Amino acid sequence: MIFEHKIITKPGEKGFTLLEVLIAVVVFVIGTMSLLSSLTSVIRGNAFSDKMTTATVLAQDKVEDLMALSFDDLQGGEECIILEGNELELNDEPCLTPDNVPEKENWFDREVIIINDSGDTKKIEVRVEWQEWRRIWGRRFHSVALTTMISSW
């Protein structure tokens, strides 16, 4: 026995043509691609915000350490900070020299500059630098700087 299936349609109903389906697929793909491109921008923005926050915290931490010292004990210098997960590795040498750029992704160069404005005050500037690597632009450097004044009295 052979079964025959008959599709029952109302007069005037035809369904979608192949052309209409193809146009719908093209519109869907274009919309999806635009969403994916904006998603990568958001991911990059979040990564930059994370680095900016880390650099600001490192600078603020150093400013607070310096403000706890006596006026005569304030000294400038430079150090390299490498982040491995939640661990900080401190080196007394700068990360970035003309001959050396670190291979690791999460490094921050922290520099303390102390200027004697007069006998009674010192200007303290803490600068934290880091790099960002992108295939298109190559290596880009960013920095955060905090400045404060300390008085001897």
Side-chain angles (χ1 to χ4, degrees):
M1 182 184 274
I2 300 175
F3 293 101
E4 291 184 25
H5 294 285
K6 200 172 197 180
I7 299 174
I8 301 172
T9 60
K10 295 179 185 175
E13 271 188 22
K14 293 183 180 180
F16 294 109
T17 65
L18 182 60
L19 182 61
E20 290 171 329
V21 171
L22 286 175
I23 291 173
V25 167
V26 167
V27 168
F28 177 75
V29 167
I30 290 172
T32 304
M33 294 302 287
S34 66
L35 283 176
L36 287 177
S37 69
S38 66
L39 180 65
T40 58
S41 297
V42 168
I43 290 170
R44 277 193 205 120
N46 284 342
F48 179 77
S49 295
D50 183 47
K51 295 266 179 130
M52 178 72 84
T53 301
T54 302
T56 304
V57 167
L58 291 171
Q60 182 65 37
D61 186 47
K62 191 64 171 183
V63 167
E64 290 175 6
D65 288 347
L66 292 170
M67 291 183 76
L69 296 174
S70 69
F71 185 78
D72 295 327
D73 291 339
L74 293 174
Q75 292 181 0
E78 196 168 356
E79 59 191 355
C80 177
I81 302 166
I82 297 175
L83 292 176
E84 293 287 336
N86 291 332
E87 301 290 320
L88 283 177
E89 178 185 323
L90 293 172
N91 297 324
D92 290 335
E93 301 172 1
C95 293
L96 192 61
T97 61
D99 301 328
N100 178 34
V101 174
E103 293 296 322
K104 294 186 178 182
E105 184 71 25
N106 290 329
W107 63 268
F108 296 88
D109 211 9
R110 183 164 62 183
E111 181 180 12
V112 176
I113 303 167
I114 297 179
I115 301 169
N116 288 326
D117 281 348
S118 65
D120 296 7
T121 61
K122 289 184 179 180
K123 178 181 175 182
I124 299 174
E125 181 176 323
V126 178
R127 185 178 300 131
V128 178
E129 298 176 336
W130 74 96
Q131 77 170 351
E132 180 181 26
W133 179 258
R134 297 247 179 109
R135 282 184 283 159
I136 297 171
W137 300 312
R139 187 170 290 151
R140 298 182 78 187
F141 293 94
H142 304 283
S143 67
V144 169
L146 299 180
T147 305
T148 189
M149 301 288 285
I150 293 184
S151 175
S152 64
W153 37 273

